[in-house]
Amino acid sequence: MKFKVLQKFDFIIIFSVLILTVMGVTFIYSSGIDYTGYLQNKNYIKQIIWASVGFVMMLVVALINYKRTSRYIKFIAPAMLLVLLYTMLWGATLNNAQSWIKIGGVFLQPAEFSKIIYILFFAWFLEKSRNMGPQKRFALSLLILIVPVGLILLQPDFGTAMVFIPIFLFMCLIAGIPLRYIAAVLFSGILIIFFTVLPLWETYIYRKSVPIIRLLTNKKLFMVMAVALGAITLTGLLGFIFLKKKYFYWITYVSGIILLGLLGSMAAGKVLKDYQIKRLIIFLNPNVDPMDAGWNIINSQIAIGSGGFSGKGFVMGTQSHYRFLPQQSTDFIFSILAEESGFLGCMVIFIAYIAILFRIIKTMRVVNDSYAVNICAGVLGLFLFHFLINVGMVMGIMPCTGIPLPFVSYGGSAYLTNAAALGLVMSARSRKLDFSLAYY
């Protein structure tokens, strides 16, 4: 009996999570020490508590049949949207975002939990809609994405909202959504970011007037361009419907993507603050604003570079202990780790994440039903995006978006979400030989 229980666990994932957790707690402790050696906070104790709860949760979820979630997720997902709406209207504000609720003295971030709810609900929808027409299936998929992302953006929590995009793309790709639809979402997202940051790039990076950018900054020209693109898109659509010519389809496709990019950038400009948009471009040249928007990246690069091969030694880092790194126990925890443990410590982190990602991919290859594959695809997108963006951000090769490093950064909501996600992966893997069509 004991042996059968142990078979339900993926010990490579468990061991990797333990390594990341131990290193996370270690350097969260280090981040709390100032240059005099005084421990300014006890966040590491809180993280130990969250990690203990999260680790047990991961094991419990692994023991539960993941198929059972399909019975309840269609009721849980709407409830989650109501919680996000409540948070947006009456939630607590921390770090310039009204994205928290306080329960019994503990701050929780519903947007973090909504990631796992979204993965489960979208996986359920993709499994149930396999026989649906591709256009209708994609349209409903897009609606399932837009609603939670819109609520999170209005908090505004741009970093968390971004995570939903790779989850959506990975799950759509695995579920057989036509590539042209997936590409439309991807390119629209890229254009939204491009059109949003281009005026600030002109002001802070290029520092010269670019006439064509007036199309984005002048309201009249912007509206003329939007109306023209709308007319082209509508004409192409009508031409394709009535004349059945393929080139009308591609005219609609391309002009529609550009139009979505423009309208999306207008919405982003109203929702996001200037400092949030500025963070998206400052990594190109942080020295244009070294005392404000570029401060984090500059000092993070100094910390990582000064770590060398083996690091300066535990609690011996200067950038963190002299408080040059803001948010150093959350967003920039990797900078402290690199400064104090060097290249060797970074490689341990990299190997642990690569092991987790490969085990998720391996699980996708061996499970026998689409619901499990869809869940694993969403979890893969979640972890891959968090890892690449956070590490790239602290190195200065990715925009500064406030995305934490799973199991390493300080934070209870994120730890519980990530632990539950890997628990679902282990649950799916342990039942790979269960060919029952019933979802218990």
Side-chain angles (χ1 to χ4, degrees):
M1 181 64 182
K2 291 182 180 179
F3 181 72
K4 287 184 178 180
V5 171
L6 292 177
Q7 285 181 327
K8 296 185 182 297
F9 301 131
D10 187 324
F11 287 96
I12 294 178
I13 288 180
I14 290 174
F15 185 62
S16 299
V17 170
L18 281 173
I19 290 175
L20 294 172
T21 300
V22 170
M23 294 194 74
V25 170
T26 300
F27 290 100
I28 289 170
Y29 171 83
S30 178
S31 71
I33 297 177
D34 63 17
Y35 69 96
T36 66
Y38 175 72
L39 183 63
Q40 292 190 341
N41 60 65
K42 295 184 178 181
N43 286 343
Y44 75 99
I45 295 179
K46 296 179 183 178
Q47 187 68 1
I48 289 173
I49 296 172
W50 283 117
S52 301
V53 174
F55 194 79
V56 172
M57 176 188 288
M58 180 176 68
L59 300 182
V60 170
V61 172
L63 293 174
I64 297 172
N65 191 337
Y66 69 95
K67 294 181 180 181
R68 292 180 180 176
T69 60
S70 67
R71 295 181 59 184
Y72 309 106
I73 192 62
K74 53 185 175 289
F75 306 111
I76 297 174
M80 191 71 242
L81 293 179
L82 292 176
V83 173
L84 289 176
L85 180 62
Y86 172 86
T87 305
M88 182 190 73
L89 296 174
W90 300 292
T93 300
L94 293 174
N95 299 324
N96 300 310
Q98 190 172 314
S99 57
W100 302 81
I101 57 175
K102 190 176 182 181
I103 301 176
V106 177
F107 286 96
L108 297 174
Q109 192 174 12
E112 283 290 338
F113 300 120
S114 68
K115 296 175 188 175
I116 194 70
I117 301 299
Y118 172 77
I119 289 173
L120 288 171
F121 182 77
F122 194 35
W124 171 81
F125 168 79
L126 291 172
E127 196 274 334
K128 293 297 182 182
S129 63
R130 285 177 296 178
N131 298 322
M132 189 180 292
Q135 292 180 343
K136 181 180 179 181
R137 192 185 190 206
F138 175 72
L140 291 174
S141 298
L142 203 56
L143 180 63
I144 293 171
L145 171 70
I146 291 172
V147 174
V149 168
L151 290 173
I152 295 170
L153 280 175
L154 290 172
Q155 293 178 0
D157 188 349
F158 182 71
T160 303
M162 282 182 62
V163 180
F164 284 75
I165 306 300
I167 292 173
F168 174 82
L169 295 176
F170 272 67
M171 294 180 73
C172 283
L173 183 64
I174 293 299
I177 299 288
L179 282 175
R180 63 184 181 276
Y181 297 152
I182 299 174
V185 174
L186 179 61
F187 290 132
S188 295
I190 292 172
L191 286 179
I192 289 172
I193 295 174
F194 181 72
F195 290 147
T196 302
V197 304
L198 202 57
L200 285 178
W201 171 85
E202 177 191 46
T203 302
Y204 294 101
I205 304 296
Y206 193 63
R207 294 188 174 184
K208 294 180 182 178
S209 178
V210 181
I212 197 171
I213 295 182
R214 289 187 60 201
L215 293 172
L216 301 175
T217 56
N218 186 291
K219 291 184 178 180
K220 291 183 178 180
L221 292 177
F222 185 93
M223 290 305 299
V224 169
M225 183 167 58
V227 170
L229 281 168
I232 294 171
T233 303
L234 181 60
T235 302
L237 180 61
L238 293 174
F240 178 72
I241 292 173
F242 293 107
L243 301 178
K244 307 298 182 182
K245 299 293 185 181
K246 193 73 173 179
Y247 58 82
F248 279 115
Y249 173 87
W250 291 110
I251 289 173
T252 304
Y253 184 83
V254 174
S255 61
I257 289 175
I258 299 173
L259 179 61
L260 286 174
L262 276 177
L263 298 178
S265 68
M266 181 176 67
K270 293 182 179 298
V271 172
L272 300 178
K273 305 291 193 299
D274 280 346
Y275 77 90
Q276 290 176 309
I277 300 175
K278 197 173 179 181
R279 285 176 181 176
L280 296 176
I281 61 167
I282 203 68
F283 77 99
L284 296 172
N285 184 8
N287 290 304
V288 300
D289 192 8
M291 301 305 294
D292 188 12
W295 176 269
N296 296 2
I297 296 176
I298 291 171
N299 284 284
S300 177
Q301 290 175 326
I302 292 173
I304 293 172
S306 65
F309 184 74
S310 57
K312 294 180 177 179
F314 182 56
V315 303
M316 299 300 292
T318 54
Q319 297 302 110
S320 61
H321 301 310
Y322 281 88
R323 294 297 181 263
F324 289 111
L325 284 172
Q327 306 296 331
Q328 54 190 20
S329 64
T330 53
D331 299 346
F332 288 88
I333 190 69
F334 186 82
S335 305
I336 300 175
L337 186 150
E339 183 180 30
E340 297 186 1
S341 65
F343 176 78
L344 293 176
C346 294
M347 285 306 299
V348 173
I349 293 290
F350 283 14
I351 291 170
Y353 278 116
I354 291 171
I356 290 173
L357 294 173
F358 270 102
R359 296 305 289 180
I360 297 172
I361 295 171
K362 179 70 173 178
T363 301
M364 292 171 62
R365 297 179 62 184
V366 300
V367 293
N368 62 64
D369 73 282
S370 59
Y371 183 56
V373 174
N374 293 336
I375 291 173
C376 291
V379 176
L380 179 64
L382 170 68
F383 277 91
L384 182 61
F385 186 76
H386 268 271
F387 173 64
L388 292 179
I389 294 298
N390 182 273
V391 173
M393 174 185 74
V394 300
M395 290 181 176
I397 58 176
M398 287 286 185
C400 189
T401 54
I403 292 179
L405 194 59
F407 301 117
V408 180
S409 294
Y410 171 71
S413 300
Y415 196 103
L416 295 179
T417 299
N418 295 325
L422 291 184
L424 286 169
V425 172
M426 287 193 283
S427 176
R429 183 178 179 83
S430 67
R431 292 167 178 82
K432 62 181 181 292
L433 298 179
D434 180 6
F435 293 97
S436 172
L437 297 178
Y439 279 60
Y440 300 106

